[in-house]
Amino acid sequence: MPAVELPFTPSEYARRLGKVRRAMAERGLDVLFVEDPSNMAWITGYDGWSFYVHQGVIVFHDADPVWWGRGQDANGAVRTVWMERTSIAGYADNYVQSTVRHPMQDLAAILRDRGYAGKRIGLELENYYFSAKAYLVLRQELPNAELVDATALVNWQRGVKSEEEIAFMRKAARISEKIVDGIVERVEPGRPKNEVVAEIYADAIRGVGDAWGDYAAIVPLLPSGTDAAAPHLTWDDRRFRTGEATFFEIAGCYRRYHTPFCRTVFLGKPPQHILDAEKALVEGLEAGLDAARPGRPAGDVARALFGALERAGIHKDSRCGYPIGISYPPDWGERTISFRKEEETILEAGMTFHFMPGLWMEDWGLEITESILIRETGAAECFCDRPRKLVVKD
Amino acid sequence: MPAVELPFTPSEYARRLGKVRRAMAERGLDVLFVEDPSNMAWITGYDGWSFYVHQGVIVFHDADPVWWGRGQDANGAVRTVWMERTSIAGYADNYVQSTVRHPMQDLAAILRDRGYAGKRIGLELENYYFSAKAYLVLRQELPNAELVDATALVNWQRGVKSEEEIAFMRKAARISEKIVDGIVERVEPGRPKNEVVAEIYADAIRGVGDAWGDYAAIVPLLPSGTDAAAPHLTWDDRRFRTGEATFFEIAGCYRRYHTPFCRTVFLGKPPQHILDAEKALVEGLEAGLDAARPGRPAGDVARALFGALERAGIHKDSRCGYPIGISYPPDWGERTISFRKEEETILEAGMTFHFMPGLWMEDWGLEITESILIRETGAAECFCDRPRKLVVKD
């Protein structure tokens, strides 16, 4: 077996497995099947663009996790996971894109063989890549099992980052800074958007220093002017224009760890109402960072932001942040906690968030965001170090 | 409503809708819900990186399709779909990442209001992004509906490409060529892989001429040496090495249409057995292209390839191609037809495939592929125009 260069230490993987097993025990789960590639990677180190076919990690209380997936991807598992070869199970290719077979029949056989046919099996029912059909096949193959919704069970364990993970996010942050520096330099009236995106990608993948860049879980998003109301449009070759604001949503990514970092660029002389909004937003950001302390509910961050905006005469009430860390497409959030007023989850040191104060009006949008780390004492730390302002190029 | 610049003509979208409705009628479906973003885009023109939350297109027999999704993404629909504003339905943000609400409750309400509570509803049970939970919520909300597996119903309608689509794929092919030219130029012993990937991305997104580059549904894959056995590993900063073959799997993408195009680069002097394999593979490719004609079963292409390889003493028997066209992450195949011996689907002019003859041995891999178009007469046409050979840099 080729030597595996794990991104994290054995004790880190043991820490993670322990957390997952404790959470399983709390839920009375005998075994857990994880198909979300972010959760697979977090638990085992598995890495590869193979999540377009069924695959997963089976977590046991009393044995090493098993990586399960397509045969050719088992070769990828052999090169990336911490477990031994005996804990890697590949299914035959005739299960792929078949109308007569489904990979979950193979998984069911493994669970049966291991004695789980009549047990409580946790499944990520609302998570990427675990399809309706996958569930129905398991249901049919394991009629005596209790299939329990374990959506986000692993995601919640990922919330407090270890020092090793924080170190990866610091590397990602250097890449985020580089990307934003490049944007600020290159955006000009008349330049086609795709040319700027080409350079964003080049900067992102080249990385910074010894931190080579990984692909981000979301492509660069850069809506301009009135399109800022449709924040998930991707690019084309339309040119940047004087008098328009463009909001750039990017993330440096180091070994699957993301530090999203957004800035808005205005070409020309911004109208006063946008400058007023900038001032309010920056005050709101600072108020939010100050509220982002261990022991306080996550909702405090949103309340602090909204309070500062209210004082500037702006009423805003929507979700303004989410946890970040390791991720695969199609999303880089952890899908657990939100920065919104009603969020009661208590912040802990080591949690990391993308704090996204933004204002969207009918024909313009302004977003200035920070990826943040909750620290033991004091206000949250920002991973990236660039001025917190609307970028104006006049 | 902002002017929508549809990628295709109204008659093209009418053609597509007609095909889907006929297929629905054949299956006795009263209504169809489509969550695969590729199918959503093909039917309506919808485009955006929003498939990380639930969204979809509802196809009716007697009314325009309805785009359904998150409120902020309805703003994206307004800018990209051919239907009127009254056919765009957004759900409130408090359905997103909620433990007490699920977006499918909102969809169920729409279906109920429109009279489908007791009807036959087609669902893409085995397709990306339609989760187990989504199915279970619909099941619960619509207890009198018959939920029918309509996986790939739309995918099958996409098989024969219109002239408009073929024109997009020709633009994508120019981008594929540019990417491969850049690879051939830049790969050298000692160069870190991520640097070459950075340039691949830059070439891909800059595009060629008036064809700006879109993001591909799969990131560049470039396993070297023994890693070729693990074809879905992504890159890091390890350097290319003399004496190793690296297989590059890339695709130019124009407005979501892909023409994958793979070449293998050998640094140094290739051993004779690899040159022998190259010769056999090229003969196999040519034999396959010659068999790829309308009226013949798709399995003929595989048989032709394997026959040529057998004559060179190489036994191979696996899937060696799949249909291509429009796609979103995580995959660029259409997941309908395969080039494998047992495939009986009859080829038709206008079908497009990624023909992927490849040889993987224990410590090396060789792949030389073509994206092909089945023509009215004669052998298949290759979209890309570059030498069909192992690239040797000595």
Side-chain angles (χ1 to χ4, degrees):
Chain A
M1 185 166 137
V4 180
E5 281 184 48
L6 293 168
F8 298 101
T9 59
S11 63
E12 169 67 0
Y13 286 111
R15 175 188 82 84
R16 297 173 181 188
L17 184 58
K19 288 189 67 125
V20 173
R21 283 171 168 166
R22 278 190 295 279
M24 287 166 63
E26 277 162 28
R27 302 283 304 278
L29 299 178
D30 297 308
V31 68
L32 173 69
F33 175 70
V34 164
E35 184 153 0
D36 176 339
S38 310
N39 291 334
M40 291 174 67
W42 188 73
I43 294 170
T44 67
Y46 179 67
D47 183 36
W49 190 285
S50 56
F51 40 89
Y52 67 95
V53 295
H54 284 296
Q55 53 172 25
V57 168
I58 314 169
V59 184
F60 305 97
H61 284 291
D62 53 4
D64 281 350
V66 163
W67 182 96
W68 167 85
R70 185 181 190 181
Q72 58 186 243
D73 298 317
N75 293 334
V78 158
R79 287 159 169 74
T80 57
V81 307
W82 61 261
M83 300 89 68
E84 298 296 321
R85 187 69 185 81
T86 47
S87 293
I88 296 171
Y91 58 81
D93 234 49
N94 65 356
Y95 279 93
V96 177
Q97 201 186 290
S98 165
T99 48
V100 301
R101 261 171 243 98
H102 194 282
M104 288 297 160
Q105 290 169 309
D106 185 276
L107 176 69
I110 291 174
L111 291 170
R112 230 182 272 122
D113 289 350
R114 291 228 185 189
Y116 294 96
K119 303 287 192 182
R120 276 173 63 86
I121 304 174
L123 299 173
E124 296 180 318
L125 299 185
E126 181 56 67
N127 213 335
Y128 303 117
Y129 309 115
F130 186 71
S131 65
K133 183 75 175 177
Y135 170 81
L136 291 169
V137 172
L138 282 176
R139 176 72 289 169
Q140 185 170 314
E141 293 283 324
L142 301 168
N144 298 321
E146 194 179 340
L147 304 182
V148 180
D149 190 353
T151 297
L153 180 149
V154 178
N155 302 46
W156 277 100
Q157 310 319 307
R158 289 161 41 196
V160 174
K161 307 302 185 284
S162 63
E163 284 304 323
E164 292 184 36
E165 293 179 289
I166 290 167
F168 274 28
M169 292 178 79
R170 292 195 190 292
K171 288 185 188 255
R174 301 293 78 78
I175 301 174
S176 296
E177 290 165 350
K178 181 172 166 71
I179 293 169
V180 165
D181 290 346
I183 287 167
V184 168
E185 185 184 314
R186 298 182 192 109
V187 173
E188 303 210 336
R191 177 156 278 162
K193 267 194 179 176
N194 65 299
E195 283 188 18
V196 171
V197 175
E199 297 295 339
I200 286 173
Y201 268 111
D203 284 342
I205 308 303
R206 267 193 292 261
V208 176
D210 68 346
W212 52 272
D214 206 347
Y215 60 92
I218 300 176
V219 299
L221 300 174
L222 50 158
S224 295
T226 57
D227 282 351
H232 300 127
L233 294 178
T234 52
W235 63 88
D236 54 28
D237 62 350
R238 276 180 298 168
R239 296 161 190 278
F240 291 101
R241 300 197 306 192
T242 301
E244 258 187 3
T246 302
F247 145 49
F248 290 84
E249 180 158 10
I250 59 89
C253 183
Y254 180 69
R255 303 194 78 170
R256 306 309 322 133
Y257 280 77
H258 296 67
T259 47
F261 190 47
C262 308
R263 287 294 182 268
T264 305
V265 179
F266 193 97
L267 295 177
K269 192 170 158 56
Q272 191 58 42
H273 63 272
I274 291 187
L275 295 174
D276 293 343
E278 176 198 13
K279 184 169 185 297
L281 204 62
V282 171
E283 280 169 16
L285 243 166
E286 285 165 3
L289 290 170
D290 195 59
R293 297 168 183 253
R296 297 187 52 174
D300 275 7
V301 178
R303 275 185 286 271
L305 167 65
F306 301 149
L309 293 176
E310 285 288 346
R311 287 190 292 279
I314 299 169
H315 176 74
K316 200 165 145 62
D317 201 7
S318 50
R319 184 166 168 258
C320 55
Y322 49 81
I324 47 168
I326 193 172
S327 205
Y328 287 74
D331 184 24
W332 59 43
E334 287 182 349
R335 297 183 300 290
T336 49
I337 304 166
S338 291
F339 283 164
R340 52 183 159 207
K341 288 194 310 201
E342 58 270 29
E343 181 71 56
E344 296 174 350
T345 306
I346 300 299
L347 296 175
E348 298 177 53
M351 285 182 172
T352 51
F353 295 88
H354 185 204
F355 181 29
M356 298 189 69
L359 295 172
W360 289 282
M361 302 306 165
E362 188 151 317
D363 52 8
W364 59 273
L366 172 62
E367 209 163 271
I368 302 172
T369 78
E370 296 287 354
S371 277
I372 70 176
L373 168 67
I374 309 299
R375 292 190 286 197
E376 297 281 355
T377 55
E381 173 190 330
C382 295
F383 276 104
C384 301
D385 180 19
R386 288 296 180 270
R388 204 174 287 150
K389 63 181 178 71
L390 170 70
V391 177
V392 179
K393 292 186 77 170
D394 198 356
Chain B
M1 183 164 137
V4 181
E5 280 184 49
L6 294 168
F8 298 101
T9 59
S11 63
E12 169 67 1
Y13 286 111
R15 175 189 81 85
R16 297 174 181 188
L17 184 59
K19 287 189 69 127
V20 174
R21 284 171 167 166
R22 278 189 295 280
M24 287 167 63
E26 276 161 28
R27 300 283 304 278
L29 299 178
D30 297 307
V31 69
L32 173 69
F33 174 70
V34 165
E35 182 152 0
D36 177 340
S38 310
N39 290 336
M40 292 174 65
W42 188 74
I43 294 170
T44 68
Y46 179 66
D47 183 38
W49 190 286
S50 56
F51 41 88
Y52 67 95
V53 294
H54 285 295
Q55 54 172 25
V57 169
I58 315 168
V59 185
F60 306 97
H61 285 291
D62 54 3
D64 280 351
V66 163
W67 182 96
W68 167 84
R70 185 180 189 180
Q72 57 186 244
D73 298 317
N75 293 335
V78 157
R79 286 160 171 73
T80 57
V81 307
W82 61 262
M83 301 89 69
E84 297 297 319
R85 188 71 187 79
T86 46
S87 294
I88 296 171
Y91 58 81
D93 233 50
N94 66 355
Y95 279 93
V96 177
Q97 200 186 291
S98 165
T99 47
V100 300
R101 260 170 242 99
H102 194 282
M104 289 296 161
Q105 292 171 304
D106 185 277
L107 177 69
I110 292 174
L111 291 169
R112 232 181 270 125
D113 290 350
R114 292 228 185 188
Y116 294 96
K119 303 289 191 178
R120 276 174 63 86
I121 304 174
L123 300 173
E124 297 180 316
L125 298 184
E126 181 55 68
N127 212 336
Y128 303 118
Y129 309 115
F130 186 71
S131 65
K133 183 75 174 177
Y135 171 81
L136 291 169
V137 173
L138 283 176
R139 176 70 290 167
Q140 184 170 317
E141 293 283 324
L142 301 168
N144 298 321
E146 196 177 341
L147 303 182
V148 180
D149 190 354
T151 297
L153 180 150
V154 178
N155 301 47
W156 277 99
Q157 310 319 309
R158 289 161 42 195
V160 174
K161 307 303 185 284
S162 62
E163 285 303 324
E164 292 184 35
E165 294 179 289
I166 291 167
F168 274 29
M169 292 177 79
R170 293 196 190 291
K171 289 185 187 255
R174 302 291 79 77
I175 301 174
S176 296
E177 289 165 350
K178 181 173 168 69
I179 294 170
V180 165
D181 290 347
I183 288 167
V184 168
E185 186 185 312
R186 296 182 192 111
V187 173
E188 303 210 337
R191 177 155 279 161
K193 268 194 178 177
N194 66 299
E195 285 189 18
V196 171
V197 175
E199 297 296 338
I200 286 173
Y201 268 111
D203 284 342
I205 307 304
R206 267 193 291 261
V208 175
D210 68 345
W212 52 271
D214 207 346
Y215 60 92
I218 300 176
V219 299
L221 300 174
L222 51 159
S224 295
T226 56
D227 282 352
H232 300 127
L233 294 178
T234 52
W235 63 87
D236 54 27
D237 62 349
R238 276 179 297 166
R239 296 161 191 279
F240 291 101
R241 300 197 307 192
T242 300
E244 259 186 3
T246 302
F247 145 49
F248 289 85
E249 181 158 9
I250 58 89
C253 182
Y254 180 69
R255 302 195 78 169
R256 305 309 322 132
Y257 279 76
H258 296 67
T259 46
F261 190 47
C262 308
R263 287 294 182 269
T264 305
V265 179
F266 193 96
L267 296 177
K269 190 170 159 56
Q272 191 58 40
H273 64 272
I274 291 188
L275 295 174
D276 294 341
E278 177 198 12
K279 184 169 185 297
L281 204 61
V282 172
E283 281 169 15
L285 244 165
E286 287 165 2
L289 290 170
D290 195 59
R293 296 165 183 257
R296 296 187 53 174
D300 276 6
V301 178
R303 276 185 284 271
L305 166 67
F306 300 149
L309 293 176
E310 284 291 343
R311 287 191 291 280
I314 298 169
H315 176 73
K316 200 164 146 63
D317 201 8
S318 50
R319 184 166 167 258
C320 56
Y322 49 81
I324 47 169
I326 193 171
S327 204
Y328 287 75
D331 183 22
W332 58 44
E334 287 181 350
R335 298 183 298 290
T336 48
I337 305 165
S338 293
F339 283 163
R340 51 184 159 206
K341 289 193 309 201
E342 59 269 29
E343 181 72 55
E344 297 174 351
T345 307
I346 300 299
L347 297 175
E348 299 176 52
M351 286 182 172
T352 51
F353 295 88
H354 184 204
F355 181 29
M356 297 189 69
L359 296 171
W360 289 283
M361 303 306 165
E362 189 152 314
D363 53 8
W364 59 273
L366 173 62
E367 210 163 270
I368 301 173
T369 78
E370 297 287 355
S371 276
I372 71 176
L373 168 67
I374 308 301
R375 292 189 286 195
E376 298 283 356
T377 54
E381 172 190 330
C382 295
F383 276 104
C384 300
D385 179 19
R386 287 296 180 270
R388 204 174 287 147
K389 64 182 179 70
L390 171 69
V391 177
V392 180
K393 293 185 75 170
D394 198 358

